[in-house]
Every structure is written in structure tokens, then in C-alpha cells.
Amino acid sequence: MNYLKILNQKEKQEIENKLNNRFGVSKISGILVKKGEERLFLFGGDFDIKQIKKLEETVPIERAGVYFAKIIKGEIRLSIEGIFLFKSQINKNIFQLTEQQFEQWMSGQELNIKTEKKGFLVMKYKDDFLGCGKASAEKISNYVPKSRRLKNQNVK
């Protein structure tokens, strides 16, 4: 069974450091919970750590809090919800989309453009954050889930 792991202060600080280095996020308020090896959740409810552990002993808990990030090969990728949780703090590695790029991005396409950046970027169109992509030398990979992509209006 894949149990929840409540991160201790040192582990939480490591996540905060990764978020700060990559996106400028300096403070996480709440309890960090890890599910499996890579999925991170932020719990801001009324339960404390002891209460969560006691509850988990009684009933299986699938998750606690909001899924906000994933650790991939040591790098951190924010989920769409994570971007909205920290949008007031994000000030690094933001990629501003043009209108054409916005339409491509929201339909789930990769952006075949060269950037000076590598690694995860927060995608933004005008004042709206749209999710995370991963920049390489030749493209920005798209992580918008299929259920959140814009559907082609011309398809019947």
C-alpha cells in the first residue's frame, strides 16, 4: 500500500528551497504530504500531524490536501493548482505566451520554440497562469492534462 508521508521540517525546507530556486516561492504555509516517490500535497486543514497519522491508522487515506507539485529527477514541477496556490510569490522562470502560442498550449500542443531557459517554466498568457512546461533546447513540453485542454470547436 502507498502510504502518505508527512514531511518533517528539514524535508519541507528542501522543497521550499527547490521552489524558491526555480520559481521564487519563498514560503509554504501548511503541512507537506508526500504520496509515493514524487507527488506532493499541501494540507492546510484543522488536523495536526498527530491527528492525520492517527486517522491513517484507522482508515486508508488516498490523499491529504491539494496536489501542488511533482518531483521529477530532482526537479520540481508545479501542478496547475500549485501555480494558483503560489501565484503571488512566483517571480522566476515565467514564460509569457503570445496569442498564437496560447491557443497551441491550451490545446495540448508542445511549443517548438527555442528559449534560453532549461527546466520547468510557469506558462503565462497576459495576466493568467496556465500551468507548467519543460523547456529544452528545441521545445517546451506541455503538461496540461487532457481533461483541461481546449477542445477543437470545428470538430463535430
Side-chain angles (χ1 to χ4, degrees):
M1 186 172 250
N2 214 357
Y3 293 102
L4 300 177
K5 178 183 186 321
I6 297 170
L7 302 186
N8 62 35
Q9 193 57 41
K10 181 182 175 190
E11 293 166 320
K12 182 177 180 181
Q13 186 62 52
E14 288 175 17
I15 298 299
E16 282 181 337
N17 290 342
K18 286 179 189 254
L19 285 171
N20 191 3
N21 290 338
R22 190 73 207 162
F23 302 112
V25 175
S26 58
K27 184 69 179 151
I28 301 173
S29 298
I31 298 170
L32 289 187
V33 180
K34 192 173 187 182
K35 175 83 172 173
E37 292 298 313
E38 53 190 27
R39 294 172 57 91
L40 296 171
F41 294 84
L42 180 61
F43 180 77
D46 291 334
F47 281 20
D48 62 21
I49 293 172
K50 288 180 183 178
Q51 290 171 313
I52 294 171
K53 287 182 177 182
K54 184 171 179 150
L55 182 62
E56 188 175 32
E57 290 171 7
T58 311
V59 294
I61 300 174
E62 180 63 30
R63 62 179 64 182
V66 175
Y67 167 62
F68 79 94
K70 190 174 202 174
I71 303 290
I72 303 171
K73 296 180 182 176
E75 291 186 78
I76 194 159
R77 174 176 58 89
L78 289 171
S79 68
I80 292 172
E81 291 80 5
I83 290 170
F84 283 97
L85 283 171
F86 303 119
K87 71 179 178 182
S88 65
Q89 296 184 60
I90 295 172
N91 57 28
K92 291 183 191 175
N93 291 308
I94 299 170
F95 187 84
Q96 189 72 42
L97 297 167
T98 65
E99 186 171 348
Q100 180 184 6
Q101 291 168 338
F102 164 73
E103 290 175 12
Q104 288 177 295
W105 185 259
M106 291 309 297
S107 66
Q109 297 176 38
E110 293 180 338
L111 301 179
N112 293 314
I113 53 175
K114 295 178 183 181
T115 67
E116 298 293 318
K117 300 181 184 247
K118 289 194 176 193
F120 291 106
L121 305 174
V122 173
M123 309 305 284
K124 187 174 183 181
Y125 177 65
K126 296 185 180 178
D127 292 329
D128 297 318
F129 288 109
L130 305 173
C132 251
K134 186 164 187 181
S136 66
E138 301 296 320
K139 66 182 179 181
I140 301 176
S141 298
N142 192 321
Y143 289 92
V144 175
K146 288 180 182 177
S147 62
R148 292 186 167 185
R149 295 177 185 169
L150 292 176
K151 309 292 185 257
N152 188 340
Q153 300 299 321
N154 297 329
V155 177
K156 293 185 179 183

